[in-house]
Amino acid sequence: MTTYLVTGASGQLGQRVVDHLRSLVPAQDIIALVRSDAAREGFQTSGIATRHGDYEDLDSLRTAFDGVDRLLLISSSEVGKRADQHRNVLAAAKSAGVGFVAYTSILNADSGGMALAEEHVATEAALRDSGLPHAILRNGWYSENIAGTAPQAVEMGQHFGAASEGRFATASRQDFAEAAAIVLAQEGHEGKTYELGGDTDFDLSDYAALLSEVANKPVAYVDLDEASYAAALVGAGLPEGFAAILADSDARAATGALTTQSRDLSRLIGRPTTPMRDTLKTVLG
């Protein structure tokens, strides 16, 4: 019997990974790492075992990873704390004798120049230094990252960004979740780094045109400089630090940070990636 553990299992990506993983391996071999009683109860209702673990509590992780063969480390959402949190996970995994770790990094982590990539690069280095057999899943932008603001963009007739003509190879969160589950479930991915993105890419003017078509209402792309876009995001209610990260990501997209021609994602999941059109239809109802 092989035991599979998914960290961050109660998050939007983690839940999808667990759901797809149970189509690949026996449900009784899957463990979801959770922090809350509500998350634990949700998984147990669906027949998935849980263990409690916190990225900042090394002892809890060592206990949680006992007897685990293959582990998926879904990156923490706490920007600024992630590198140390991930090192805790890797230290606990090594101590517990975990046989394989897959890690969700970010597209073009070592070359894209995004501020958001810094902690991913540090984690990738820690993973290599750990000596643990591993695979790195460099996830591109979820289509939902962009399409999530579609209702507001349709209402205003404008989609704002700072990516100029930079292209985005997005795919749905479900696409990335399926790839992670497949790499966790299958042998033969050790030592691999996958650049994961959609089969087709687009710039934000293309996106606005597609949104106009799906919504049947004109939407224009408004390109701002990085500082102005960050200020606009703060004006929309985002914290300054998060707004700065999003604006930086858009600005780096202008130089190719969020596109790829690799087709690694569609090869892993065995089907074409989900088009942005489909995601927009879902978001707009």
Side-chain angles (χ1 to χ4, degrees), residues 91-107:
K94 187 159 188 176
S95 175
V98 171
F100 173 79
V101 177
Y103 170 62
T104 62
S105 184
I106 198 167
L107 187 63

Side-chain angles (χ1 to χ4, degrees), residues 5-285:
L5 184 141
V6 177
T7 77
S10 60
Q12 293 185 76
L13 181 67
Q15 289 185 46
R16 288 173 169 83
V17 171
V18 172
D19 285 345
H20 194 65
L21 187 60
R22 65 189 302 161
S23 73
L24 304 173
V25 303
Q28 64 264 29
D29 296 344
I30 302 170
I31 301 169
L33 190 74
V34 299
R35 290 191 297 178
S36 72
D37 289 341
R40 175 180 55 80
E41 291 166 5
F43 280 114
Q44 289 181 339
T45 298
S46 65
I48 297 295
T50 62
R51 292 183 186 173
H52 176 270
D54 189 305
Y55 287 172
E56 296 194 347
D57 183 345
L58 190 54
D59 287 339
S60 76
L61 296 172
R62 287 194 183 106
T63 300
F65 296 165
D66 182 49
V68 169
D69 299 298
R70 297 176 70 83
L71 183 150
L72 174 65
L73 169 52
I74 293 180
S75 58
S76 164
S77 59
E78 296 184 79
V79 177
K81 297 182 178 181
R82 298 193 291 186
D84 287 339
Q85 291 174 339
H86 297 164
R87 288 188 191 100
N88 283 343
V89 173
L90 298 179
K94 187 159 188 176
S95 175
V98 171
F100 173 79
V101 177
Y103 170 62
T104 62
S105 184
I106 198 167
L107 187 63
N108 301 315
D110 55 352
S111 61
M114 286 193 295
L116 204 55
E118 291 174 5
E119 291 175 299
H120 291 296
V121 170
T123 302
E124 289 186 11
L127 193 50
R128 288 190 295 271
D129 291 344
S130 73
L132 289 161
H134 65 272
I136 295 170
L137 308 173
R138 289 181 171 170
N139 287 355
W141 240 220
Y142 304 145
S143 294
E144 292 88 345
N145 288 2
I146 299 175
T149 60
Q152 298 94 308
V154 170
E155 185 178 340
M156 292 187 298
Q158 295 177 315
H159 176 83
F160 294 92
S164 185
E165 296 177 357
R167 303 189 73 78
F168 294 78
T170 72
S172 71
R173 189 178 274 109
Q174 180 66 30
D175 293 343
F176 291 108
E178 290 183 20
I182 287 165
V183 169
L184 185 61
Q186 294 178 347
E187 301 286 343
H189 298 284
E190 291 81 358
K192 302 287 182 64
T193 296
Y194 295 107
E195 300 286 358
L196 303 179
D199 291 338
T200 59
D201 61 5
F202 55 85
D203 65 24
L204 293 180
S205 293
D206 298 330
Y207 168 75
L210 177 62
L211 178 55
S212 302
E213 183 183 332
V214 173
N216 197 28
K217 182 180 176 184
V219 179
Y221 172 53
V222 179
D223 192 58
L224 305 172
D225 62 67
E226 184 178 343
S228 298
Y229 184 43
L233 291 171
V234 171
L238 293 184
E240 285 189 11
F242 187 48
I245 286 171
L246 290 182
D248 171 83
S249 299
D250 247 38
R252 301 291 80 75
T255 58
L258 286 171
T259 192
T260 179
Q261 303 298 319
S262 76
R263 304 296 182 269
D264 284 349
L265 181 52
S266 55
R267 276 195 293 269
L268 279 172
I269 62 179
R271 60 170 175 79
T273 58
T274 304
M276 174 59 88
R277 179 185 298 274
D278 292 3
T279 300
L280 281 173
K281 287 179 177 178
T282 300
V283 168
L284 294 174

